[in-house]
Amino acid sequence: MSQYLLRRLLLLLPTLWGILTVNFFLVQLAPGGPVEQLLARLHGVEVGATAKVAGPGGEGGGATLYRGAQGLDAELKARIEKFYGFHRPLGERYLDTLLQYLRFDLGTSLMRGKPVCTLIGERLPVSMSLGIWSTLLIYAISIPLGMAKAVRHGSRFDGVTSLLVVVGSAIPVFLLAMLLVVLFAGGSFWQLFPLRGLTSPGWEEMSLWGKIVDYFWHLALPVTSMTIGGVATLTLLTKNCFLEELSKLYTVTARAKGLSERQVLLGHVFRNAMLLVIAGFPSAFIGMFFTGSLLVEVIFSLDGLGLLGFESMVTRDYPVIFGTLYIFTLLGLVAKILSDLTYTLVDPRIHFGGQR
């Protein structure tokens, strides 16, 4: 096991290097960098498209430029490029970025003027709250429900719950979030839950119990919208895993020995059936943690990492783009290693040390 962990940890560096390298050159070579966008705003020029530069004789066919760079002061552009460090060759900037990331120095935001680590630290609690509680609720609902559906396969309960989970998964998360806002956040009906932020004004002066209640009061609607959409896949996966295990000979033998259905499920079937469910935990958590929470953060005015990464892509804030990418890639790789370790806890027969 120790050799396996050492190999996986050593693979982190080349994996991070490959992902950062590909994204570095893709983002840097895209038209409309931060210099052009800043100059366009200073001159009131529209940002966000390309146009043809007139060729000889005033005819088309010239080079394609980012629209934000047209008609701007070349000297001012050169000064801003030097200020941001874009006057240096691309390869030199690439090597400097790698050296900074080896020291875990994520640089400074070009648009916000703050260290990227500070920005991530400010937004991390929001994304962590959404990701952790949504993932835990999805697993807490899906696993017992999937087990119940497997035991009652083909019954009315199985059909009704299948219909409900499929309908829930078919509704887009952002549409469900907007529906919850309209119904329960003062949209058109009841105002039972707050619409903005994770805490109420004066949260610091509340008692410990008051802080906990206020925190979950703000999380109720966003976490509900993310949970409903994520229950279906895991529920059906759990059901299918349990159905497969229930049809095997060892469960028939266990029943023949006089064990109750509960003892068969929890003592024999559970460990084998849960392997695939555990394997999907890292991707489920990272999906909830980042991409799945973007629209929810926008609708409920929550400043999380998903919204930060999206805004950085729009404004071409390179340090923030690469910083958030670095953090989420690292979290994803570590989560996969933890998932492998969980395999051995669920089923001690699994080992990663090669053949015995």
Side-chain angles (χ1 to χ4, degrees):
M1 177 62 72
S2 59
Q3 294 180 355
Y4 170 79
L5 287 177
L6 181 60
R7 289 197 302 268
R8 292 296 300 269
L9 291 175
L10 290 176
L11 283 174
L12 285 177
L13 289 179
T15 305
L16 284 172
W17 170 78
I19 294 175
L20 289 175
T21 297
V22 171
N23 284 274
F24 179 87
F25 288 104
L26 285 177
V27 173
Q28 295 276 353
L29 297 176
V35 175
E36 287 82 1
Q37 295 215 11
L38 178 58
L39 287 169
R41 291 190 183 94
L42 291 175
H43 289 74
V45 180
E46 181 184 356
V47 179
T50 58
K52 286 287 186 181
V53 177
E59 299 180 356
T64 301
L65 291 179
Y66 187 70
R67 181 174 293 174
Q70 298 180 61
L72 302 179
D73 188 355
E75 182 181 354
L76 177 60
K77 181 180 178 181
R79 289 170 57 189
I80 295 178
E81 285 179 346
K82 186 175 182 180
F83 176 77
Y84 283 137
F86 289 103
H87 65 291
R88 298 181 300 162
L90 184 61
E92 182 180 340
R93 285 186 278 141
Y94 166 69
L95 292 177
D96 286 347
T97 301
L98 290 182
L99 292 176
Q100 287 180 353
Y101 277 56
L102 286 176
R103 304 191 303 266
F104 216 82
D105 178 12
L106 305 183
T108 303
S109 170
L110 301 179
M111 300 300 170
R112 296 172 174 83
K114 289 184 177 182
V116 176
C117 289
T118 301
L119 290 173
I120 292 177
E122 292 173 352
R123 306 292 185 97
L124 190 60
V126 175
S127 295
M128 288 291 290
S129 297
L130 293 176
I132 290 176
W133 294 117
S134 298
T135 305
L136 290 178
L137 273 178
I138 288 173
Y139 272 75
I141 294 172
S142 299
I143 293 175
L145 182 58
M147 293 173 60
K149 287 172 63 62
V151 173
R152 305 176 187 179
H153 177 62
S155 65
R156 180 178 297 180
F157 171 82
D158 184 32
V160 172
T161 53
S162 295
L163 177 63
L164 291 177
V165 296
V166 170
V167 170
S169 65
I171 302 176
V173 174
F174 75 91
L175 186 60
L176 183 58
M178 293 176 63
L179 178 63
L180 292 177
V181 169
V182 171
L183 291 177
F184 303 111
S188 299
F189 294 90
W190 304 281
Q191 189 168 1
L192 304 178
F193 298 94
L195 183 59
R196 297 178 179 273
L198 284 183
T199 57
S200 301
W203 186 79
E204 293 80 5
E205 287 76 25
M206 296 181 183
S207 63
L208 177 60
W209 177 248
K211 290 181 179 179
I212 295 175
V213 172
D214 184 74
Y215 170 73
F216 284 105
W217 184 43
H218 283 77
L219 276 179
L221 294 186
V223 168
T224 299
S225 62
M226 295 175 64
T227 300
I228 292 176
V231 164
T233 302
L234 187 60
T235 299
L236 297 179
L237 175 63
T238 304
K239 175 191 172 182
N240 292 333
C241 291
F242 272 85
L243 280 178
E244 181 180 358
E245 296 299 324
L246 285 171
S247 63
K248 292 184 178 179
L249 290 177
Y250 74 90
T251 58
V252 178
T253 304
R255 291 192 182 100
K257 290 181 178 180
L259 297 180
S260 66
E261 194 68 22
R262 180 183 179 87
Q263 290 174 322
V264 172
L265 283 175
L266 300 181
H268 294 77
V269 176
F270 183 79
R271 287 186 174 182
N272 296 325
M274 289 300 295
L275 291 177
L276 286 177
V277 177
I278 292 173
F281 180 82
S283 58
F285 175 70
I286 296 300
M288 286 290 176
F289 187 50
F290 183 55
T291 56
S293 63
L294 172 58
L295 294 175
V296 173
E297 290 175 8
V298 174
I299 293 172
F300 290 98
S301 301
L302 300 172
D303 291 331
L305 287 178
L307 184 58
L308 176 65
F310 175 75
E311 292 174 346
S312 302
M313 287 295 297
V314 173
T315 59
R316 300 294 197 276
D317 196 343
Y318 295 155
V320 179
I321 293 174
F322 299 135
T324 53
L325 175 68
Y326 177 77
I327 292 298
F328 283 113
T329 303
L330 185 60
L331 286 176
L333 294 173
V334 172
K336 288 184 179 298
I337 295 176
L338 294 177
S339 177
D340 290 343
L341 295 178
T342 310
Y343 273 127
T344 61
L345 297 178
V346 176
D347 191 345
R349 297 172 299 176
I350 297 177
H351 61 95
F352 300 100
Q355 295 184 354
R356 290 182 178 139

